[in-house]
Amino acid sequence: MDNTSRIELSRSALANNFDYIRKHLQPGARLSHVVKGNAYGHGIDPFVPLAVELGADHFSVFDAHEAAAVLKALDRSVDVLIMGMISEEQLEWVIDNRVSFFVFDHNRLEQAVKVARKLKRKARVHIELETGMNRTGFAPENWTKTIAYLRQNADALDFQGLCTHFAGAESIANHLRVKDQIKRFRKGRAYFKKEGLPATQVHAACSAAVLRFPKTHFDLVRVGILQYGFWPNMETFIHTQTKDGSDHDPLERVISWKSQVMNVKQVKKGEYVGYGTSYLATQDMTVAAVPVGYSHGFSRSLSNSGRALIRGLRVGVIGVVNMNVMMLDVSHLANIETGDEVILIGTQDDQEISVSSFSEYSDQMNYELLTRLPLDIPRIVTE
Ligand SMILES: *Cc1c(COP(=O)(O)O)cnc(C)c1O
């Protein structure tokens, strides 16, 4: 049965974004498509096969559970890289299914060797270096030990990659910190090479670094937010547009989120709308109820401030967003009826509600708003 809203993914928008990203890659850099957080809320199930259809062959995820979802969504094999969590129990599945993974502590290397020997299948490891993010990664003082261990256990460990992650490449405020990280990463790469262990896949860049630091593309880039048609932040958008001498947004939003009018009613001047007294009707008005609320990922912080589209026009959320319902002021629209389409994210006629305008209202970044879209809203692919 249909849910109270649905999410559509646009094939042509995705194709456009892939082209845009590929055009910005340095020669020799492979594109890994980051699909953690249920493909940034788009849904791994519909997104991954669509991406493969459009030429994707490498995916990065946060954990083993997501890696399994990627493989399950496809009927052919692709490269999958886990950048974060694998429990000890999941390690066997990961190695058995030839999934590559970040390693950031010695213990994990020892476990990987044990499991790999048991399965008689090499573990595909990417050694993460600490360069300044201070989240995960081997600190420089451990590199010698790590290199020795990789060498001694080469029968069980396939040393595929050397990687790091930047602490905020989207913002000029972090410029010096990121520059420093790049320097330290290069040093690490040179050290591994000097010790006789050159990595075949060196990688560091996320979306913002792809656009702002082309020298960080190395052999592979890990791109998330851009492929979905969103900018990491406004600053990266302006920086890139200036550099490219472009005056229009070259990305297209892949996602649309749609629902419908559940009820229409007239409200008299002087009445309150919804729970409490946060919205007072200062004139006679028409109010539409839409069956989407904070339990569906429409943030409560959009109370009295969110926007939606009906019949090609912008309307505002009035009153408090409820668990399953929100109210819209449709006084300026003629003949609104139950069943009329409501756009929560996306376009209608020539109007657009983008997640970014939306998330500025609600103080949430693109990333957060997208990934809070519940798993059980049906997702469908459109042209
Ligand atoms: C999320 C993530 C990325 C992708 O970041 P975007 O800004 O969405 O491109 C890349 N690398 C790592 C380690 C990540 O966690």
Side-chain angles (χ1 to χ4, degrees), residues 47-316:
F47 183 85
V48 165
L50 182 60
V52 166
E53 205 186 297
L54 298 173
D57 60 3
H58 194 296
F59 293 93
S60 294
V61 295
F62 177 72
D63 59 32
H65 173 251
E66 291 173 338
V70 169
L71 292 180
K72 197 163 148 254
L74 293 170
D75 55 12
R76 70 180 96 163
S77 76
V78 287
D79 288 327
V80 179
L81 173 61
I82 297 173
M83 306 184 291
M85 182 64 190
I86 304 170
S87 70
E88 203 173 338
E89 301 76 60
Q90 291 167 332
L91 196 55
E92 186 163 325
W93 178 89
V94 169
I95 294 173
D96 200 32
N97 284 276
R98 300 184 162 88
V99 171
S100 308
F101 53 101
F102 279 33
V103 176
F104 35 78
D105 70 46
H106 192 76
N107 196 22
R108 175 46 46 89
L109 272 185
E110 289 182 345
Q111 291 167 351
V113 166
K114 218 188 291 165
V115 174
R117 293 218 170 105
K118 180 177 147 202
L119 295 174
K120 299 192 168 53
R121 176 164 288 172
K122 283 189 182 190
R124 302 177 164 183
V125 299
H126 290 234
I127 301 296
E128 187 184 9
L129 301 184
E130 178 56 71
T131 59
M133 169 95 168
N134 291 311
R135 183 171 70 176
T136 47
F138 285 98
E141 56 268 29
N142 298 323
W143 294 351
T144 310
K145 179 180 170 190
T146 305
I147 290 169
Y149 193 81
L150 287 169
R151 275 237 201 77
Q152 282 153 18
N153 297 283
D155 63 303
L157 298 174
D158 177 5
F159 170 53
Q160 285 191 325
L162 206 55
C163 52
T164 196
H165 187 50
F166 297 126
E170 69 281 358
S171 180
I172 190 80
N174 303 324
H175 190 77
L176 290 179
R177 184 167 171 204
V178 171
K179 282 275 184 195
D180 232 23
Q181 285 193 272
I182 297 171
K183 222 183 284 169
R184 291 183 202 167
F185 187 54
R186 286 183 177 285
K187 242 185 223 165
R189 180 178 68 153
Y191 185 67
F192 271 68
K193 195 167 167 192
K194 184 178 117 237
E195 296 296 311
L197 270 188
T200 50
Q201 298 173 38
V202 174
H203 51 106
C206 56
S207 292
V210 162
L211 298 174
R212 300 181 81 132
F213 301 99
K215 286 193 173 138
T216 64
H217 292 192
F218 302 109
D219 305 308
L220 183 84
V221 298
R222 307 182 304 257
V223 173
I225 197 86
L226 273 185
Q227 64 183 334
Y228 305 103
F230 298 100
W231 298 91
N233 60 355
M234 187 53 78
E235 200 184 303
T236 304
F237 171 58
I238 292 169
H239 168 94
T240 308
Q241 290 303 86
T242 308
K243 207 163 80 177
D244 291 355
S246 163
D247 62 358
H248 78 289
D249 185 349
L251 297 177
E252 291 174 25
R253 262 56 66 194
V254 171
I255 203 169
S256 305
W257 186 19
K258 302 181 175 176
S259 186
Q260 54 181 293
V261 173
M262 176 174 83
N263 186 52
V264 182
K265 72 163 58 238
Q266 308 302 321
V267 175
K268 286 265 178 260
K269 175 177 170 178
E271 294 279 317
Y272 295 109
V273 177
Y275 287 123
T277 53
S278 81
Y279 191 86
L280 170 71
T282 54
Q283 55 194 18
D284 289 353
M285 58 191 297
T286 312
V287 174
V290 177
V292 173
Y294 58 80
S295 75
H296 306 104
F298 197 93
S299 175
R300 229 171 155 269
S301 57
L302 291 163
S303 297
N304 284 310
S305 66
R307 305 279 187 271
L309 300 175
I310 302 184
R311 300 204 170 184
L313 290 174
R314 263 165 209 276
V315 295

Side-chain angles (χ1 to χ4, degrees), residues 22-44:
R22 287 171 187 147
K23 252 188 255 148
H24 280 78
L25 295 186
Q26 298 295 307
R30 189 172 173 198
L31 176 55
S32 180
H33 299 263
V34 179
V35 293
K36 66 190 183 196
N38 199 27
Y40 291 49
H42 292 63
I44 282 180

Side-chain angles (χ1 to χ4, degrees), residues 331-343:
S331 306
H332 58 301
L333 302 187
N335 310 321
I336 290 292
E337 288 169 9
T338 301
D340 279 354
E341 183 181 71
V342 177
I343 304 289

